[in-house]
Amino acid sequence: HDLRQPLQAISLLVEVLRERLVGRDVSGLVDKVQASVHALESLFVSLLDISRLDAGAIQPHVQKLSVASVLRLIEANFLPQALAKGLRLEVVHSSAVVLSDPALLERILSNLVSNAVRYTASGRVLVGCRRRKDRLQILVIDTGPGIPPPFQGEIFEEFFQIGNPERDRSKGLGIGLAIVRRTAALLARPLALRSTLGVGSVFSIDVPLARTSVLPPIARAPDEAE
């Protein structure tokens, strides 16, 4: 919290500066400063998350949860980023009710979708669900470059990145998927990956369905999820 306060202050000051420099040819410079601040804030949040997971400071609070509420949040948060890159973000909504921690499940899906949008140059990112007996499988599918088989285990390790030899911090620190793996382990939920070079990747997590007499029908997953 103490580290993030100065960053938030800088972000506010940059916005004030932008307003005061209206009409001057410095908007590009202000935009770059703002982008750097946002990137730094994102890195701090990621580092804080993984340090809290390592310290055991996060405990799951499992409850009945509407998957639709999480998917709506994911769609609202990442649609602008996808559109800015010329990508289609498709979210197949589900009326399923599951047992999970809302904040932790949202964090897992956010990191997976963020990663998919970041590394997909063209095509789309698809988020969908399909029912598997007493569980719901939530999938994040992209048309990115794919992950070479030797690296498919390593990408869940801290600070590991493919295709970023210059260590460009705008591409993150390489800990988003490490957070996903640790958070999934905290929830005791299986995490899976299928990837084909030149075709794309499919990340999925299984979540137990809640036992309820008012559970509506589960939306069918798209053909790509088969």
Side-chain angles (χ1 to χ4, degrees):
H1 178 73
D2 290 338
L3 289 172
R4 291 178 64 187
Q5 272 190 330
L7 288 174
Q8 292 170 346
I10 292 172
S11 183
L12 289 173
L13 290 172
V14 170
E15 286 301 323
V16 172
L17 181 63
R18 185 197 303 276
E19 293 174 1
R20 293 187 179 182
L21 293 176
V22 173
R24 301 187 186 183
D25 191 21
V26 293
S27 60
L29 179 59
V30 174
D31 288 343
K32 289 180 181 179
V33 173
Q34 186 69 76
S36 296
V37 173
H38 286 163
L40 192 55
E41 284 181 316
S42 178
L43 296 179
F44 267 121
V45 170
S46 295
L47 289 170
L48 178 61
D49 282 348
I50 204 162
S51 65
R52 292 177 66 202
L53 287 166
D54 283 344
I58 300 177
Q59 295 301 320
H61 299 284
V62 176
Q63 62 190 62
K64 285 186 179 181
L65 168 66
S66 167
V67 172
S69 63
V70 178
L71 295 182
R72 281 195 297 268
L73 187 60
I74 295 296
E75 187 172 32
N77 287 344
F78 292 99
L79 184 58
Q81 295 180 32
L83 291 176
K85 288 192 66 177
L87 301 174
R88 301 195 312 276
L89 175 62
E90 300 179 16
V91 178
V92 182
H93 290 278
S94 170
S95 56
V97 178
V98 299
L99 292 172
S100 190
D101 181 300
L104 295 182
L105 181 60
E106 189 270 331
R107 186 60 168 156
I108 288 172
L109 295 178
S110 289
N111 279 16
L112 289 177
V113 174
S114 175
N115 209 61
V117 171
R118 177 180 293 136
Y119 291 106
T120 300
S122 62
R124 66 175 178 170
V125 174
L126 173 67
V127 184
C129 306
R130 59 185 177 189
R131 192 170 185 170
R132 289 287 185 262
K133 295 183 179 178
D134 60 348
R135 56 191 170 86
L136 188 76
Q137 188 177 56
I138 307 176
L139 307 100
V140 177
I141 305 168
D142 66 62
T143 56
I147 303 166
F151 297 146
Q152 290 183 15
E154 295 183 65
I155 60 167
F156 292 101
E157 301 299 326
E158 298 86 350
F159 310 113
F160 182 84
Q161 290 179 297
I162 301 174
N164 188 17
E166 70 279 12
R167 305 305 294 171
D168 180 357
R169 291 305 178 220
S170 67
K171 298 180 180 179
L173 282 174
I175 58 177
L177 291 180
I179 291 173
V180 167
R181 176 175 59 85
R182 293 183 186 195
T183 306
L186 186 64
L187 291 171
R189 304 316 310 160
L191 184 68
L193 163 65
R194 301 196 314 271
S195 187
T196 304
L197 285 177
V199 176
S201 302
V202 180
F203 290 85
S204 65
I205 183 169
D206 287 358
V207 186
L209 286 164
R211 293 182 178 274
T212 170
S213 59
V214 295
L215 183 66
I218 303 300
R220 290 180 60 83
D223 293 338
E224 291 86 344
E226 295 299 333

